[in-house]
Amino acid sequence: MNWPALLEMQFMRHAFAAASCIAIAGSAIGYFVVLRRQAFAAHALSNVGFAGAAGASLLGIDPLLGLFVFVLASAVLMALAGENVGQRDISVGMILMVSLGLGILFVNLYSANADAAIGILFGSVLGISHEQLHMTFMTSLVVMGLLVIMFRPLRFASLNAPAARGRGLPVTALNLLFLLLLGATAAMAVPVIGSLLSFAIFIGPAAAAQAWTGRVASGLVLTMALALLETWGGIAASYYINWPASSCIAILSFAIYALGWLSSRHALFRRFDKHIRTTTS
């Protein structure tokens, strides 16, 4: 098979495949993260995995297992914090604080395997093994399948939680399941793009898409398309200009978000000008 130059090496094909899985699943979850105003929770779940990886290294087990366990446990605690935005953000902040503190403690107690835990913070998209690729694919498949099943009730609860509760929907259970899906997606994404740059997938494409369309279905499709665009572009740019792939992805994500923000501001100014002209004429 005559691959393009950047796909002639197996590790690059693994990078594109794993990053594509994360782009699709992560951006789909990220659309609802932005819609539900839970960006801080997404950021926290991506970062608390550091403590889980460090703790697993201290116990001599697979850091990825510790990452998944710690992130999912934190997702449950965040769900128990309730739906009030102020109280929820305080709880998320406290969970993030103690997790990072524990991570630093674990690294200091057993520095021999600290590199594995520190690597969680930055990811290694160009170092994906066949086993990691398989796990990423299966996790993204499960996340997308569950998201499709709960799409309608989740959309209703995200747009109008009181009305959804009045219709008899289990809003509390939906919140818990959504945070578990977010946690699983974050745990899947962190070893590839790093916890510090997970916003590039979770938030950037969704924020831009919601600036361009208010419809959930079309917004989801646009979000996933933008996420794939920035992911493929970031990896390709990393190959050709020799920059870190995560940095390239983050720069493209910010550029897409900035474009969406500027275009929405421009539309807002046009509507405001039209309103002023109408009221003064």
Side-chain angles (χ1 to χ4, degrees), residues 239-256:
Y239 177 82
Y240 287 112
I241 65 178
N242 198 28
W243 285 6
S246 297
S247 299
C248 295
I249 293 172
I251 291 170
L252 286 175
S253 179
F254 177 79
I256 289 172

PDB file of all heavy atoms in Angstrom, residues 239-256:
ATOM      1  N   TYR A 239       4.450  16.373  12.521  1.00  0.00           N
ATOM      2  CA  TYR A 239       5.356  15.562  11.699  1.00  0.00           C
ATOM      3  C   TYR A 239       6.238  16.438  10.813  1.00  0.00           C
ATOM      4  O   TYR A 239       7.449  16.208  10.688  1.00  0.00           O
ATOM      5  CB  TYR A 239       4.536  14.600  10.841  1.00  0.00           C
ATOM      6  CG  TYR A 239       5.355  13.767   9.889  1.00  0.00           C
ATOM      7  CD1 TYR A 239       5.997  12.606  10.312  1.00  0.00           C
ATOM      8  CD2 TYR A 239       5.494  14.136   8.550  1.00  0.00           C
ATOM      9  CE1 TYR A 239       6.751  11.845   9.438  1.00  0.00           C
ATOM     10  CE2 TYR A 239       6.238  13.388   7.667  1.00  0.00           C
ATOM     11  CZ  TYR A 239       6.872  12.237   8.114  1.00  0.00           C
ATOM     12  OH  TYR A 239       7.619  11.483   7.241  1.00  0.00           O
ATOM     13  N   TYR A 240       5.643  17.463  10.215  1.00  0.00           N
ATOM     14  CA  TYR A 240       6.366  18.244   9.221  1.00  0.00           C
ATOM     15  C   TYR A 240       7.210  19.373   9.819  1.00  0.00           C
ATOM     16  O   TYR A 240       8.239  19.749   9.244  1.00  0.00           O
ATOM     17  CB  TYR A 240       5.400  18.817   8.190  1.00  0.00           C
ATOM     18  CG  TYR A 240       4.863  17.771   7.242  1.00  0.00           C
ATOM     19  CD1 TYR A 240       3.525  17.390   7.273  1.00  0.00           C
ATOM     20  CD2 TYR A 240       5.700  17.155   6.320  1.00  0.00           C
ATOM     21  CE1 TYR A 240       3.035  16.416   6.400  1.00  0.00           C
ATOM     22  CE2 TYR A 240       5.224  16.180   5.449  1.00  0.00           C
ATOM     23  CZ  TYR A 240       3.887  15.815   5.496  1.00  0.00           C
ATOM     24  OH  TYR A 240       3.414  14.845   4.643  1.00  0.00           O
ATOM     25  N   ILE A 241       6.790  19.938  10.949  1.00  0.00           N
ATOM     26  CA  ILE A 241       7.559  21.059  11.521  1.00  0.00           C
ATOM     27  C   ILE A 241       8.254  20.683  12.819  1.00  0.00           C
ATOM     28  O   ILE A 241       8.902  21.528  13.444  1.00  0.00           O
ATOM     29  CB  ILE A 241       6.656  22.293  11.738  1.00  0.00           C
ATOM     30  CG1 ILE A 241       5.581  22.012  12.800  1.00  0.00           C
ATOM     31  CG2 ILE A 241       6.012  22.733  10.443  1.00  0.00           C
ATOM     32  CD1 ILE A 241       4.689  23.209  13.096  1.00  0.00           C
ATOM     33  N   ASN A 242       8.105  19.418  13.241  1.00  0.00           N
ATOM     34  CA  ASN A 242       8.814  18.894  14.405  1.00  0.00           C
ATOM     35  C   ASN A 242       8.474  19.638  15.700  1.00  0.00           C
ATOM     36  O   ASN A 242       9.357  19.957  16.508  1.00  0.00           O
ATOM     37  CB  ASN A 242      10.328  18.922  14.165  1.00  0.00           C
ATOM     38  CG  ASN A 242      11.073  17.996  15.127  1.00  0.00           C
ATOM     39  OD1 ASN A 242      10.522  16.989  15.597  1.00  0.00           O
ATOM     40  ND2 ASN A 242      12.318  18.334  15.438  1.00  0.00           N
ATOM     41  N   TRP A 243       7.195  19.918  15.882  1.00  0.00           N
ATOM     42  CA  TRP A 243       6.694  20.462  17.142  1.00  0.00           C
ATOM     43  C   TRP A 243       5.941  19.356  17.879  1.00  0.00           C
ATOM     44  O   TRP A 243       5.473  18.400  17.244  1.00  0.00           O
ATOM     45  CB  TRP A 243       5.744  21.626  16.896  1.00  0.00           C
ATOM     46  CG  TRP A 243       6.415  22.906  16.491  1.00  0.00           C
ATOM     47  CD1 TRP A 243       7.735  23.093  16.216  1.00  0.00           C
ATOM     48  CD2 TRP A 243       5.784  24.178  16.323  1.00  0.00           C
ATOM     49  NE1 TRP A 243       7.983  24.389  15.866  1.00  0.00           N
ATOM     50  CE2 TRP A 243       6.799  25.090  15.928  1.00  0.00           C
ATOM     51  CE3 TRP A 243       4.490  24.638  16.457  1.00  0.00           C
ATOM     52  CZ2 TRP A 243       6.533  26.427  15.683  1.00  0.00           C
ATOM     53  CZ3 TRP A 243       4.209  25.976  16.206  1.00  0.00           C
ATOM     54  CH2 TRP A 243       5.225  26.864  15.830  1.00  0.00           C
ATOM     55  N   PRO A 244       5.777  19.478  19.210  1.00  0.00           N
ATOM     56  CA  PRO A 244       4.973  18.480  19.940  1.00  0.00           C
ATOM     57  C   PRO A 244       3.546  18.427  19.391  1.00  0.00           C
ATOM     58  O   PRO A 244       2.919  19.469  19.159  1.00  0.00           O
ATOM     59  CB  PRO A 244       4.990  18.993  21.382  1.00  0.00           C
ATOM     60  CG  PRO A 244       6.228  19.828  21.466  1.00  0.00           C
ATOM     61  CD  PRO A 244       6.390  20.463  20.123  1.00  0.00           C
ATOM     62  N   ALA A 245       3.041  17.217  19.173  1.00  0.00           N
ATOM     63  CA  ALA A 245       1.710  17.061  18.582  1.00  0.00           C
ATOM     64  C   ALA A 245       0.633  17.704  19.450  1.00  0.00           C
ATOM     65  O   ALA A 245      -0.299  18.344  18.933  1.00  0.00           O
ATOM     66  CB  ALA A 245       1.411  15.583  18.371  1.00  0.00           C
ATOM     67  N   SER A 246       0.735  17.526  20.772  1.00  0.00           N
ATOM     68  CA  SER A 246      -0.275  18.099  21.671  1.00  0.00           C
ATOM     69  C   SER A 246      -0.305  19.618  21.568  1.00  0.00           C
ATOM     70  O   SER A 246      -1.373  20.237  21.614  1.00  0.00           O
ATOM     71  CB  SER A 246       0.003  17.671  23.112  1.00  0.00           C
ATOM     72  OG  SER A 246      -0.111  16.276  23.255  1.00  0.00           O
ATOM     73  N   SER A 247       0.865  20.218  21.415  1.00  0.00           N
ATOM     74  CA  SER A 247       0.917  21.676  21.285  1.00  0.00           C
ATOM     75  C   SER A 247       0.242  22.129  19.999  1.00  0.00           C
ATOM     76  O   SER A 247      -0.504  23.117  19.987  1.00  0.00           O
ATOM     77  CB  SER A 247       2.372  22.153  21.311  1.00  0.00           C
ATOM     78  OG  SER A 247       2.997  21.807  22.532  1.00  0.00           O
ATOM     79  N   CYS A 248       0.495  21.408  18.912  1.00  0.00           N
ATOM     80  CA  CYS A 248      -0.127  21.761  17.631  1.00  0.00           C
ATOM     81  C   CYS A 248      -1.647  21.619  17.707  1.00  0.00           C
ATOM     82  O   CYS A 248      -2.387  22.468  17.189  1.00  0.00           O
ATOM     83  CB  CYS A 248       0.426  20.879  16.522  1.00  0.00           C
ATOM     84  SG  CYS A 248       2.195  21.132  16.186  1.00  0.00           S
ATOM     85  N   ILE A 249      -2.110  20.549  18.335  1.00  0.00           N
ATOM     86  CA  ILE A 249      -3.556  20.338  18.478  1.00  0.00           C
ATOM     87  C   ILE A 249      -4.170  21.458  19.312  1.00  0.00           C
ATOM     88  O   ILE A 249      -5.240  21.987  18.985  1.00  0.00           O
ATOM     89  CB  ILE A 249      -3.842  18.965  19.109  1.00  0.00           C
ATOM     90  CG1 ILE A 249      -3.419  17.850  18.144  1.00  0.00           C
ATOM     91  CG2 ILE A 249      -5.314  18.824  19.465  1.00  0.00           C
ATOM     92  CD1 ILE A 249      -3.480  16.457  18.746  1.00  0.00           C
ATOM     93  N   ALA A 250      -3.488  21.835  20.397  1.00  0.00           N
ATOM     94  CA  ALA A 250      -4.008  22.893  21.264  1.00  0.00           C
ATOM     95  C   ALA A 250      -4.076  24.224  20.531  1.00  0.00           C
ATOM     96  O   ALA A 250      -5.043  24.980  20.678  1.00  0.00           O
ATOM     97  CB  ALA A 250      -3.134  23.021  22.509  1.00  0.00           C
ATOM     98  N   ILE A 251      -3.051  24.540  19.722  1.00  0.00           N
ATOM     99  CA  ILE A 251      -3.039  25.801  18.977  1.00  0.00           C
ATOM    100  C   ILE A 251      -4.184  25.837  17.977  1.00  0.00           C
ATOM    101  O   ILE A 251      -4.893  26.845  17.836  1.00  0.00           O
ATOM    102  CB  ILE A 251      -1.680  25.987  18.277  1.00  0.00           C
ATOM    103  CG1 ILE A 251      -0.584  26.230  19.320  1.00  0.00           C
ATOM    104  CG2 ILE A 251      -1.738  27.149  17.286  1.00  0.00           C
ATOM    105  CD1 ILE A 251       0.821  26.187  18.756  1.00  0.00           C
ATOM    106  N   LEU A 252      -4.398  24.730  17.260  1.00  0.00           N
ATOM    107  CA  LEU A 252      -5.498  24.672  16.294  1.00  0.00           C
ATOM    108  C   LEU A 252      -6.850  24.763  16.998  1.00  0.00           C
ATOM    109  O   LEU A 252      -7.781  25.397  16.485  1.00  0.00           O
ATOM    110  CB  LEU A 252      -5.411  23.378  15.486  1.00  0.00           C
ATOM    111  CG  LEU A 252      -4.308  23.337  14.423  1.00  0.00           C
ATOM    112  CD1 LEU A 252      -4.251  21.953  13.788  1.00  0.00           C
ATOM    113  CD2 LEU A 252      -4.544  24.394  13.352  1.00  0.00           C
ATOM    114  N   SER A 253      -6.966  24.138  18.165  1.00  0.00           N
ATOM    115  CA  SER A 253      -8.219  24.205  18.914  1.00  0.00           C
ATOM    116  C   SER A 253      -8.531  25.640  19.315  1.00  0.00           C
ATOM    117  O   SER A 253      -9.673  26.097  19.196  1.00  0.00           O
ATOM    118  CB  SER A 253      -8.132  23.307  20.158  1.00  0.00           C
ATOM    119  OG  SER A 253      -9.327  23.369  20.904  1.00  0.00           O
ATOM    120  N   PHE A 254      -7.504  26.346  19.791  1.00  0.00           N
ATOM    121  CA  PHE A 254      -7.720  27.744  20.172  1.00  0.00           C
ATOM    122  C   PHE A 254      -8.090  28.589  18.955  1.00  0.00           C
ATOM    123  O   PHE A 254      -8.948  29.467  19.041  1.00  0.00           O
ATOM    124  CB  PHE A 254      -6.462  28.311  20.835  1.00  0.00           C
ATOM    125  CG  PHE A 254      -6.597  29.769  21.197  1.00  0.00           C
ATOM    126  CD1 PHE A 254      -7.298  30.145  22.340  1.00  0.00           C
ATOM    127  CD2 PHE A 254      -6.039  30.750  20.394  1.00  0.00           C
ATOM    128  CE1 PHE A 254      -7.434  31.491  22.667  1.00  0.00           C
ATOM    129  CE2 PHE A 254      -6.179  32.094  20.713  1.00  0.00           C
ATOM    130  CZ  PHE A 254      -6.873  32.461  21.856  1.00  0.00           C
ATOM    131  N   ALA A 255      -7.442  28.317  17.823  1.00  0.00           N
ATOM    132  CA  ALA A 255      -7.738  29.079  16.607  1.00  0.00           C
ATOM    133  C   ALA A 255      -9.188  28.865  16.177  1.00  0.00           C
ATOM    134  O   ALA A 255      -9.881  29.817  15.787  1.00  0.00           O
ATOM    135  CB  ALA A 255      -6.778  28.678  15.499  1.00  0.00           C
ATOM    136  N   ILE A 256      -9.659  27.616  16.248  1.00  0.00           N
ATOM    137  CA  ILE A 256     -11.047  27.324  15.881  1.00  0.00           C
ATOM    138  C   ILE A 256     -12.013  28.001  16.847  1.00  0.00           C
ATOM    139  O   ILE A 256     -13.020  28.590  16.437  1.00  0.00           O
ATOM    140  CB  ILE A 256     -11.276  25.800  15.857  1.00  0.00           C
ATOM    141  CG1 ILE A 256     -10.547  25.180  14.668  1.00  0.00           C
ATOM    142  CG2 ILE A 256     -12.766  25.467  15.789  1.00  0.00           C
ATOM    143  CD1 ILE A 256     -10.561  23.667  14.670  1.00  0.00           C
TER     144      ILE A 256
END
